[in-house]
Amino acid sequence: METVLSGIRPTGNLHLGNYFGAVQSFVKLQDEYRCFFFIADWHSLTTHPRPENIRQSVKTILAEYLACGIDPEKATIYVQSDVHEVVELYLYLNMNAYLGELERVTSFKEKIRKQPDNINAGLLTYPSLMAADILIHKANKVPVGKDQEQNMEMARKFARRFNTIYDVTYFPEPESFHFSDKALKVPGLDGSGKMGKSEGNAIYLVDDEKTIRKKVMKAVTDAGPTVPHSEKPEPVANLFTMMEIVSTQDTYDYFNEKYNTCEIRYGDLKKQLAEDINTFCTPIRERILEIAADNAYMDKVARLGAQKATESAARTILEVREIIGFRP
Ligand code: AMP
Ligand code: TRP
């Protein structure tokens, strides 16, 4: 059976971008595959070296994972830092990762621009740690958003390189996975391309109805088209993309028709969109609050996940040590 794996850094709450870009796929895949979903708390140190309350941040994501429908009976849900074997594989991969290729990774270049005072080795070797996360369970499919393509390319490269150097066919080459024919990019509603926590434009799953309404009503639009069937400028196209994601086909078609005949009233569209986002988020929010209040349950899930993930990881490390030539 093929293995699916993915992770998210605990640097804030889950937003619609995370959900539709990644988490939705996790939920759908857990019935059919051997699945691992983890919380990448070590990775978060690359940008937040002195986390304020890392345990709380991890719990937040854990509650949100569970509220979205990831089932700990089906999938292994764990915290990265609970599985020490990952570090050993990270070390081996780093020995065959070259400065030049790591420096060329776009997200590294972006991050050193954003944090010039903290260009740490962890940031440089972010792709090796991510590859270790993936290869430790010999994962085949990795559901991630478009922004992770280059990290995935590196993971494949490291897998191939390991196999070549030690003359084995051990690690499978992991591929990115998305449900639709291409990776989904959930747009921001502020006219910018992508929804994200660092972009400051995110609608969070845990946002209450009023907050969501406020965020949507604030979305950037324009004066409206004057020529039938004109192309949608980006901020307007983003609203329609969001509608495509959360609303029914009928609703989308209705407003699209209004746009094409130049009768669109953005106030109406936003009201509908806010309502549809709320219909989607409200039950999830209620579950998040319920699960987040149940510390005993979350501890149990994390402990069980750590145990299952460690078993799988330990098996890999044993084999890797043998392949390289260490005492198993
Ligand atoms: P991040 O919140 O940037 O750590 O991303 C966690 C996961 O959510 C990754 O797989 C991202 O590719 C995905 N993701 C984040 N924002 C978006 C977005 N706006 N559209 C699609 N996927 C996203
Ligand atoms: N880099 C991913 C992100 O920023 C998080 C991540 C870490 C990850 N390790 C992973 C995703 C392994 C998939 C597989 O969102």
Side-chain angles (χ1 to χ4, degrees), residues 122-138:
L123 208 51
L124 180 72
T125 56
Y126 188 110
S128 343
L129 182 54
M130 180 156 160
D133 291 329
I134 297 170
L135 301 179
I136 198 80
H137 302 297
K138 301 172 87 173

Side-chain angles (χ1 to χ4, degrees), residues 105-223:
V105 173
T106 317
S107 54
F108 174 68
K109 289 193 259 183
E110 241 168 61
K111 280 184 183 145
I112 65 176
R113 199 168 37 78
K114 278 194 199 154
Q115 53 181 67
D117 298 329
N118 181 20
I119 307 177
N120 60 72
L123 208 51
L124 180 72
T125 56
Y126 188 110
S128 343
L129 182 54
M130 180 156 160
D133 291 329
I134 297 170
L135 301 179
I136 198 80
H137 302 297
K138 301 172 87 173
N140 310 92
K141 289 181 167 28
V142 182
V144 280
K146 202 177 168 62
D147 57 326
Q148 297 298 314
E149 276 311 324
Q150 207 179 6
N151 285 333
M152 288 305 301
E153 194 52 59
M154 297 295 281
R156 283 191 286 275
K157 199 189 263 187
F158 293 149
R160 277 197 301 270
R161 193 172 290 161
F162 181 95
N163 291 345
T164 308
I165 290 177
Y166 303 107
D167 196 21
V168 284
T169 43
Y170 184 67
F171 286 124
E173 282 185 37
E175 53 179 81
S176 317
F177 179 87
H178 6 86
F179 251 97
S180 39
D181 46 352
K182 59 178 175 22
L184 186 70
K185 189 174 84 178
V186 179
L189 297 184
D190 53 356
S192 72
K194 179 188 147 186
M195 178 179 290
K197 46 200 160 211
S198 44
E199 284 76 7
N201 60 5
I203 295 177
Y204 295 99
L205 298 179
V206 78
D207 279 345
D208 61 33
E209 299 192 12
K210 214 169 115 201
T211 306
I212 289 181
R213 221 172 292 128
K214 231 161 82 201
K215 285 182 179 177
V216 176
M217 294 317 281
K218 249 185 27 203
V220 178
T221 52
D222 60 9

Side-chain angles (χ1 to χ4, degrees), residues 155-317:
R156 283 191 286 275
K157 199 189 263 187
F158 293 149
R160 277 197 301 270
R161 193 172 290 161
F162 181 95
N163 291 345
T164 308
I165 290 177
Y166 303 107
D167 196 21
V168 284
T169 43
Y170 184 67
F171 286 124
E173 282 185 37
E175 53 179 81
S176 317
F177 179 87
H178 6 86
F179 251 97
S180 39
D181 46 352
K182 59 178 175 22
L184 186 70
K185 189 174 84 178
V186 179
L189 297 184
D190 53 356
S192 72
K194 179 188 147 186
M195 178 179 290
K197 46 200 160 211
S198 44
E199 284 76 7
N201 60 5
I203 295 177
Y204 295 99
L205 298 179
V206 78
D207 279 345
D208 61 33
E209 299 192 12
K210 214 169 115 201
T211 306
I212 289 181
R213 221 172 292 128
K214 231 161 82 201
K215 285 182 179 177
V216 176
M217 294 317 281
K218 249 185 27 203
V220 178
T221 52
D222 60 9
T226 48
V227 180
H229 296 276
S230 39
E231 203 182 310
K232 299 182 180 91
E234 185 169 12
V236 174
N238 285 350
L239 280 171
F240 274 94
T241 303
M242 187 58 92
M243 198 162 235
E244 226 174 338
I245 295 171
V246 296
S247 304
T248 63
Q249 186 67 42
D250 281 352
T251 304
Y252 178 85
D253 290 345
Y254 172 83
F255 285 100
N256 197 37
E257 175 67 18
K258 291 277 177 209
Y259 183 87
N260 282 331
T261 53
C262 306
E263 293 169 286
I264 186 95
R265 286 166 45 175
Y266 290 124
D268 294 349
L269 178 145
K270 288 188 203 174
K271 229 191 255 166
Q272 180 69 46
L273 183 59
E275 198 174 302
D276 293 341
I277 293 177
N278 270 321
T279 304
F280 172 78
C281 285
T282 299
I284 296 184
R285 181 184 62 246
E286 285 168 359
R287 277 200 302 275
I288 292 174
L289 299 177
E290 208 176 292
I291 295 167
D294 193 345
N295 276 315
Y297 174 62
M298 285 202 293
D299 283 346
K300 197 175 114 196
V301 169
R303 222 167 314 120
L304 176 72
Q307 190 193 332
K308 287 200 285 181
T310 300
E311 265 168 40
S312 155
R315 218 174 308 130
T316 303
I317 282 299

Side-chain angles (χ1 to χ4, degrees), residues 14 19 23-24 27 30 62-71 205 280 284 287-288 291:
L14 290 186
Y19 183 86
V23 179
Q24 182 188 37
V27 177
Q30 62 185 349
L62 179 59
E64 293 182 334
Y65 265 178
L66 293 165
C68 288
I70 301 179
D71 181 347
L205 298 179
F280 172 78
I284 296 184
R287 277 200 302 275
I288 292 174
I291 295 167

